[in-house]
Amino acid sequence: MTNPSNPSNDDDTPQDPLSEMLAKMFGGGAGGFDPQEIAKAAGLPSDPAAMAMMMQQVQAMFSAPSEGPVNWTMAHEQARRVAASDEDPSVTPLQRRSVDESLKLAELWLDPVTEFPSTGQLGRAWSRAEWVEATMATWRRLTEPVATSIAKALSDAISSQLPDEMKSMMGMMGGPASMLQNVGGAMFGMQLGQAVGALSKDVVGSTDIGLPLADGRMALLPANVAAFGAGLDIPEQEVQLFLAVREAAHVRLFTHIPWLTGHLLGSIERYARGIHIDMGKIEEAARDIDPTNPESLQGALSHGVFMPEKTPEQDAALVRLETTLALVEGWVDEMTAAAAANLPSAGALREMLRRRRATGGPAEHAFASLVGLELRPRRLRDAAALWSLLTEERGIEGRDALWQHPDLLPTAEDLDDPAGFAGRRRLLDSSDADVDAALQRLLSGGFDEDAAGEQDGDAAPDDAAGTGSGDGSGSGSGDGNASGDDPQDDQRP
């Protein structure tokens, strides 16, 4: 007998309820919908076992209570699964000791080139899965605003396309709105987990993308460090040392400049909250996608159908964010070059990392397509040149003092013309000093005294004129000009 909760196809092969529902949802007939093909087109695992497990998880969501607009549990599990898909060996005690020693040496090398002191942290060696665990909370913070918008947009778009019988079916499972909210949250959660898991295979530390993803902790991923140096004809220990200096420089900056982390993460959050989803584009995609043709879905995804729309205000905010990211990466680039100057291959490694940061890898592009934001310092070279010039003009202490407040930092205009920064800063400082002086005089009553003095000065000439006239007529002791001004004076008796 056929189990009603697990219906069969015409060939008596059990068909899972999720496949049947999706086939009805998108209009596919029996045998016309292949979840594995759709998953393959969307960039999800095509392995039957992995797909079966994923389908079970998604299926469980239809009856599970919603944890919010996005299924972060699914995002976390998917990220862990992707991180381990190409083997994720556990870190050995020897690797932990090697990473700790490299980071300690990196701290010593940084001491002479920056005013920011050592953080005194213990260096950590992480596997990819450990990196996911350490950074997932930050990814959630960065993506939640836009994730909420996209999940709701997908839910609304799919709901509008559902036939009445499907809405009735979902009504028995808690209502279409609740159910589709879970579906939209699951879709975004799976995509986010895919992107974060892919990034775990590329990054070599906790600050690779210019953000303190692990709450300021200092760490390297030995497996990824080895992969980074493979084929470079450079000793692995030298590669690890160079990367350790970069990691330690990032962590020093974020540790000793408390406002910087909040400024960067807050800027990304505000940018994400301002993103608007083009519902018309999503609804059009839902109508045009042919579920029996995986290429149509792949084409929709690759052409950014589900990409958020950016406003002019968002573009302006993005320019400011990219400038700050460039200043962070440029400063770290300069500090690393100065601290690791004795490494024979420092120049080659520096250029390699510059290109890597400027172009971004496939995982970074996947994340950017998901949230509509590329975390790449496009102007890294300009920022590094500016910090180098400021070191010559102001010295180490004067250069690092610019980080004390966001208003002191160079702007995009300064990146265009590094040589003119000092002159523009002097003009700005002079203007600020004038305003401060005027404000101080106002608060101390100086302007009242000046006003009173001016009134006294206006009255003084009248008094003097009256005195002079009296003296001249009464005593006759005026000067020659006074006595000879009036011709009638000569005719008086």
Side-chain angles (χ1 to χ4, degrees):
M1 177 179 293
T2 302
N3 185 346
S5 65
N6 190 18
S8 301
N9 296 319
D10 294 338
D11 59 358
D12 292 332
T13 303
Q15 180 184 20
D16 65 273
L18 179 60
S19 298
E20 183 185 32
M21 192 197 76
L22 290 176
K24 291 180 180 179
M25 182 185 301
F26 291 106
F33 178 82
D34 188 346
Q36 292 183 11
E37 288 298 317
I38 294 295
K40 182 179 179 181
L44 300 176
S46 58
D47 177 65
M51 274 301 300
M53 183 180 300
M54 189 180 304
M55 284 295 184
Q56 290 174 3
Q57 291 176 339
V58 175
Q59 191 170 337
M61 291 180 52
F62 286 98
S63 56
S66 174
E67 59 175 306
V70 177
N71 191 316
W72 298 109
T73 300
M74 177 163 283
H76 175 251
E77 292 177 354
Q78 178 70 2
R80 288 289 301 259
R81 187 177 298 110
V82 174
S85 61
D86 294 333
E87 295 186 358
D88 182 24
S90 300
V91 178
T92 66
L94 180 61
Q95 287 174 322
R96 294 188 188 280
R97 185 165 57 252
S98 176
V99 166
D100 181 46
E101 291 174 353
S102 294
L103 288 168
K104 284 180 179 177
L105 184 56
E107 292 275 39
L108 291 176
W109 287 359
L110 283 168
D111 285 340
V113 300
T114 176
E115 280 291 297
F116 304 133
S118 171
T119 62
Q121 289 192 36
L122 175 68
R124 297 170 174 84
W126 285 339
S127 65
R128 293 164 184 163
E130 288 173 320
W131 180 88
V132 169
E133 292 293 334
T135 63
M136 202 65 202
T138 304
W139 290 120
R140 176 170 180 168
R141 176 181 174 182
L142 292 178
T143 60
E144 191 159 32
V146 68
T148 300
S149 299
I150 291 178
K152 184 178 184 302
L154 288 172
S155 172
D156 293 344
I158 294 175
S159 179
S160 67
Q161 303 299 316
L162 283 178
D164 293 338
E165 58 269 21
M166 286 303 304
K167 292 181 180 179
S168 300
M169 179 187 297
M170 289 190 295
M172 296 183 294
M173 303 179 188
S178 174
M179 186 175 181
L180 288 174
Q181 187 79 356
N182 286 348
V183 173
M187 290 176 67
F188 189 91
M190 290 173 66
Q191 288 181 304
L192 176 62
Q194 183 78 18
V196 173
L199 271 174
S200 73
K201 300 178 182 181
D202 289 347
V203 296
V204 296
S206 71
T207 58
D208 260 28
I209 64 171
L211 297 174
L213 296 175
D215 297 326
R217 284 173 284 181
M218 189 166 55
L220 292 177
L221 282 70
N224 292 355
V225 170
F228 176 85
L232 293 182
D233 198 24
I234 300 175
E236 184 176 338
Q237 187 61 28
E238 188 173 336
V239 174
Q240 181 169 288
L241 270 172
F242 188 86
L243 297 176
V245 174
R246 280 182 55 84
E247 176 75 0
H250 271 113
V251 173
R252 278 199 190 200
L253 182 61
F254 288 120
T255 298
H256 295 293
I257 306 301
W259 63 264
L260 185 56
T261 297
H263 176 76
L264 283 171
L265 298 184
S267 296
I268 296 172
E269 286 178 298
R270 287 190 295 273
Y271 172 88
R273 287 194 187 98
I275 286 177
H276 300 284
I277 307 301
D278 189 343
M279 287 296 298
K281 188 181 292 185
I282 291 180
E283 290 174 358
E284 182 180 351
R287 288 193 300 268
D288 295 342
I289 291 174
D290 178 6
T292 64
N293 179 14
E295 292 182 0
S296 68
L297 178 59
Q298 177 135 20
L301 294 173
S302 63
H303 286 87
V305 169
F306 301 108
M307 280 284 289
E309 294 288 326
K310 288 187 290 188
T311 64
E313 292 77 11
Q314 295 301 96
D315 290 332
L318 184 57
V319 170
R320 293 192 294 269
L321 176 60
E322 287 182 340
T323 299
T324 306
L325 285 172
L327 290 172
V328 169
E329 290 297 282
W331 185 88
V332 169
D333 182 77
E334 263 310 292
M335 296 309 98
T336 303
N342 292 329
L343 287 178
S345 302
L349 290 170
R350 182 187 191 188
E351 182 61 26
M352 183 177 178
L353 281 164
R354 278 182 164 187
R355 294 180 180 180
R356 172 187 170 108
R357 288 296 291 122
T359 59
E364 286 186 71
H365 293 306
F367 179 77
S369 67
L370 189 63
V371 298
L373 178 64
E374 292 184 342
L375 299 175
R376 289 192 283 124
R378 302 175 187 275
R379 310 196 62 183
L380 187 155
R381 294 177 188 273
D382 295 334
L386 175 60
W387 289 120
S388 178
L389 185 63
L390 290 174
T391 304
E392 297 175 5
E393 292 182 349
R394 295 170 169 247
I396 293 174
E397 183 177 358
R399 176 204 65 205
D400 290 348
L402 294 175
W403 286 106
Q404 296 306 315
H405 193 277
D407 291 345
L408 298 177
L409 283 180
T411 63
E413 181 185 5
D414 298 320
L415 296 182
D416 294 331
D417 178 25
F421 173 80
R424 286 189 295 274
R425 182 62 63 179
R426 280 194 295 270
L427 289 175
L428 182 61
D429 291 344
S430 175
S431 175
D432 290 344
D434 292 342
V435 172
D436 291 343
L439 180 60
Q440 183 61 37
R441 290 177 62 194
L442 178 63
L443 294 175
S444 63
F447 283 115
D448 295 337
E449 295 175 1
D450 290 348
E454 289 177 1
Q455 292 176 357
D456 293 342
D458 291 340
D462 295 337
D463 294 343
T467 303
S469 173
D471 290 344
S473 61
S475 64
S477 61
D479 57 21
N481 292 333
S483 62
D485 284 342
D486 191 352
Q488 295 180 359
D489 289 346
D490 296 336
Q491 299 176 6
R492 292 175 182 172

